[in-house]
Amino acid sequence: MIEARRLHILRAVADHRTVTAAAAALYLTPSAVSQQLAALEQETGHRLVERGAKGVRLTPAGEILLSHTNAVLAQLERAEAELAAYSSGAAGAVTVASFATGIALVVAPAVARLADSAPGIRIRVQDAEGDASLPMVLDRQVDVAVAVEYRGAPPADDPRLTHVPLYAEPFDAVVPVAHRLAGAAEVPLAELAKDAWIGPYPGNPCHDVVVLACENAGFQPRMEHSSDDFRAVVALASADAGVALVPRSALRGMDLAGVVVRPVDGTAPTRRVFAAVRRGAEGHPLIRPVLDALGAAAQAQPLPV
């Protein structure tokens, strides 16, 4: 008989590629993870993992078991959801991880909506960049992630997750007031090829959007300054330190006195934001109202693309 908790460990090792990283994500010791993997191998009668200089990888037998693991764990999530519904689980805590702008734009309004529509649900919010929140969901550290599509992100049909689209928004060009293109109605990205750039660090999903947009315009941006805080990005642009692309919603309420904000000429780079939960958990009586509230908050936002 295969124990479900050992399947959780197998998936964590597959996701994190090392026993140490998987153990940290699961709040276990590396030795405990190794022991559980050994027990799983004994239960299945197959070697499931191979250790090498670059970490751990699954054997062909491990890959077969992993494909079933995703289905089994999703079904267990559904079972928990139905049992919670049966016991009328209308009260409890749901943890939501989101990047800062997402918190302001949809998470905080959703919290306010739930205070009226589902007062028994207590929301706990954690600030996490879009690329960090999805692993947190998979590792069961949080229940819901508000994340951004990025290169290398789990796709919408990933068997481990259920995606709920929330909103899409364009990036606008932010240039110093003295910039040569400050008077343009729209900014062609190709005209910024020789400028110094300000943007998020590599690994931030917005960094991928900016770099891909510049690559499509025919150049690699010369990133002179890096910050994941868009207020810092705008402040540097106002100091004539460079140019930037910033999501439109992130510019709300900022001091823009030293910069000019213009739409991008042609097809604007866009970030697409979605909520994600472990597959099977979308019908949980505590999680479903949170997803609905996030969707309603997103629909209430004027975010033209």
Side-chain angles (χ1 to χ4, degrees):
M1 181 70 70
I2 298 174
E3 291 192 19
R5 64 192 177 98
R6 290 175 181 150
L7 295 179
H8 280 292
I9 290 173
L10 178 69
R11 189 162 78 176
V13 170
D15 287 342
H16 293 281
R17 303 297 182 184
T18 71
V19 168
T20 301
L26 297 173
Y27 299 102
L28 297 172
T29 64
S31 62
V33 169
S34 295
Q35 290 169 9
Q36 292 299 317
L37 286 175
L40 185 58
E41 289 180 329
Q42 185 173 7
E43 288 172 346
T44 61
H46 291 278
R47 187 178 182 185
L48 302 175
V49 298
E50 292 180 343
R51 292 169 173 81
K54 295 184 178 180
V56 176
R57 69 180 183 86
L58 299 188
T59 64
E63 294 287 355
I64 291 172
L65 184 57
L66 180 64
S67 68
H68 291 284
T69 292
N70 292 327
V72 169
L73 295 183
Q75 191 60 42
L76 286 174
E77 292 282 356
R78 294 186 188 99
E80 290 179 5
E82 290 187 19
L83 287 171
Y86 175 76
S87 61
S88 65
V94 176
T95 304
V96 180
S98 172
F99 56 100
T101 307
I103 291 174
L105 203 63
V106 293
V107 177
V111 170
R113 287 173 181 270
L114 289 167
D116 293 330
S117 63
I121 298 177
R122 186 172 73 259
I123 305 297
R124 295 171 177 162
V125 180
Q126 295 186 20
D127 189 334
E129 290 299 334
D131 59 329
S133 59
L134 295 178
M136 293 170 72
V137 168
L138 291 172
D139 292 335
R140 305 180 71 87
Q141 296 173 9
V142 302
D143 302 301
V144 181
V146 174
V148 178
E149 290 182 2
Y150 61 94
R151 288 186 285 191
D157 61 353
D158 189 294
R160 302 168 298 171
L161 296 167
T162 293
H163 285 218
V164 179
L166 294 178
Y167 64 89
E169 64 173 321
F171 281 61
D172 289 325
V174 177
V175 301
V177 291
H179 193 273
R180 63 188 181 283
L181 295 178
E186 296 181 332
V187 173
L189 284 185
E191 296 296 320
L192 301 176
K194 295 183 179 180
D195 285 80
W197 278 75
I198 313 157
Y201 284 100
N204 186 313
C206 289
H207 176 88
D208 286 347
V209 175
V210 172
V211 171
L212 183 59
C214 292
E215 288 175 352
N216 289 338
F219 69 98
Q220 283 282 341
R222 178 166 53 89
M223 288 290 180
E224 290 286 334
H225 311 284
S226 297
S227 174
D228 288 335
D229 186 336
F230 285 115
R231 290 170 298 182
V233 171
V234 171
L236 286 167
S238 69
D240 202 17
V243 300
L245 290 175
V246 177
R248 187 165 294 172
S249 65
L251 294 168
R252 292 181 180 180
M254 279 196 196
D255 180 6
L256 303 175
V259 298
V260 171
V261 178
R262 293 288 184 265
V264 172
D265 184 33
T267 302
T270 302
R271 74 169 169 183
R272 303 187 185 280
V273 179
F274 60 93
V277 298
R278 292 180 295 278
R279 189 171 292 271
E282 62 274 9
H284 193 286
L286 294 179
I287 292 177
R288 183 73 257 171
V290 175
L291 294 176
D292 291 342
L294 289 169
Q299 290 180 359
Q301 295 295 332
L303 288 168
V305 176

